Amino acid sequence: MDEAQLRSLTPSVLTVLVRRGADFAAAEDAVQDALVEAVRVWPADPPRDAKGWLITVAWRKFLDATRADSARRRREDRLDEEPAPGPAPGVDDTLQLYFLCAHPSLTPSSAVALTLRAVGGLTTRQIAQAYLVPEATMAQRISRAKRTVSGVRFDQPGDVATVLRVLYLVFNEGYSGDVDLVAEAIRLTRRLAAAIDHPEVAGLLALMLLHHARRAARTAPDGSLVPLAEQDRGRWDTAAIAEGVGILQAALARDQLGEFQAQAAIAALHADALTAEETDWVQIVEWYDELARLTGSPVVRLNRAVAVGEADGPRAGLAALADLDTSLPRYTAVAAHLHERDGDLDTAARLYAEAARKALDLAERDHLTRQAARLNSRRSR
């Protein structure tokens, strides 16, 4: 069993410990210790039941840590409750664990950060990038969240909105980041949509399907990024697009608009265009206006500037961009694109090179570097 398969068992093992009364922070530490032990022991002596082995070892690790803490010696009597040997039930507890982590004692942002770290498997750096904050700030936030829930019984599940936010960020990191979490995010969102009649759950599922439908066309055979306008639309998954559009239309018909439905509507308009030139940018701008009203997000306004540049011309896009903070991620890349469309190749080349230096993702950095080189080559002719 490789490391990815091993870590896929973490949510179920963590859920068992939490259900048995372990506080979240101690349970997470115990599970991580069990994973380390598995990496050490399994190559020479693999267990017949991996999940059952992890549960047993993690519970023992938790009890060992509890006994070492004099303030928690009352928990020693739980030693007799150690899980019995034998196969563990094959139940997927991941979605329930998402709800348990969205605990009422936590703020939504802290609950999201904690869940992404403990259940989603994202690093602190990846979570910080998603939140547009320094890594040290996010590390402190996660630590505070762990302290807040330390000793708390996880018997009060959190709200749907927080769980949706976690699923959305997990999908985004899987879609564009270092770890492929897309399939897992879609699977869990499908389960949630089947269990809860909620228009925003449907909106998120539609959004995921519509974005995932374009995934095969997003990269060239050499791994380089292919911009949306240059993608081979024949490689898009039409079945996933049709499913996503159908789910979205049913959600919008309920007239309870939320941010995920608005994002899905933008994705649907891109998917509906047979060519890049046929994209309905005017309507996309209108949906970005709705999304900005719902979220107030500067990233939404940045994306809106791109849409305005397509709908009303690059000068209008640059005017929309002028109101935004220049430190926003991808601000410089957007400015480069709009300056290029406006014919200012010198400025565009300089900004593409600057954006490449700022890019954290290697594929994005390479793409921006090639854009700068392309313009510099044109200027030198």
Side-chain angles (χ1 to χ4, degrees), residues 104 137 191 242 267 326:
T137 300
R191 288 192 60 197
T326 59

Side-chain angles (χ1 to χ4, degrees), residues 309-354:
E310 297 293 339
D312 301 325
R315 295 287 176 89
L318 287 168
L321 194 64
D323 295 332
L324 300 177
D325 185 346
T326 59
S327 66
L328 276 173
R330 297 189 173 88
Y331 177 99
T332 308
V334 169
H337 168 74
L338 291 171
H339 277 290
E340 179 183 359
R341 290 200 64 238
D342 194 38
D344 186 353
L345 302 189
D346 288 345
T347 300
R350 176 178 57 78
L351 290 173
Y352 276 130
E354 181 182 338

Side-chain angles (χ1 to χ4, degrees), residues 246-284:
I247 292 171
L248 173 63
Q249 288 175 338
L252 291 175
R254 300 176 65 173
D255 198 24
Q256 300 176 42
L257 184 63
E259 63 173 294
F260 295 123
Q261 295 169 73
Q263 286 193 57
I266 293 169
L269 286 167
H270 283 297
D272 189 52
L274 296 178
T275 65
E277 292 73 25
E278 296 176 71
T279 305
D280 189 346
W281 286 106
V282 172
Q283 193 172 170
I284 287 176

Side-chain angles (χ1 to χ4, degrees), residues 160-224:
V160 175
T162 300
V163 173
L164 289 179
R165 177 62 50 189
V166 174
L167 290 170
Y168 173 69
L169 291 174
V170 168
F171 177 84
N172 277 351
E173 186 59 40
Y175 192 71
S176 61
D178 304 325
V179 184
D180 188 353
L181 299 168
V182 170
E184 176 69 356
I186 292 176
R187 183 184 70 83
L188 291 173
T189 307
R190 282 192 187 279
R191 288 192 60 197
L192 186 59
I196 300 177
D197 183 20
H198 192 297
E200 273 293 82
V201 176
L204 179 57
L205 178 58
L207 176 63
M208 289 179 174
L209 291 170
L210 289 164
H211 277 304
H212 191 48
R214 304 199 302 260
R215 191 178 190 188
R218 291 183 71 245
T219 54
D222 63 0
S224 60

Side-chain angles (χ1 to χ4, degrees), residues 1 13 16 36 49 85 105 178 216 249 255 258 272-273 305 311 335 340 368-369:
M1 177 176 289
V13 178
V16 170
V36 171
D49 175 29
S105 65
D178 304 325
Q249 288 175 338
D255 198 24
D272 189 52
E340 179 183 359
L368 293 168
T369 300

Side-chain angles (χ1 to χ4, degrees), residues 345-346 349-350 353 371-381:
L345 302 189
D346 288 345
R350 176 178 57 78
Q371 295 292 83
R374 174 180 56 82
L375 293 186
N376 285 326
S377 176
R378 286 175 58 183
R379 289 161 51 212
S380 62
R381 289 174 187 171

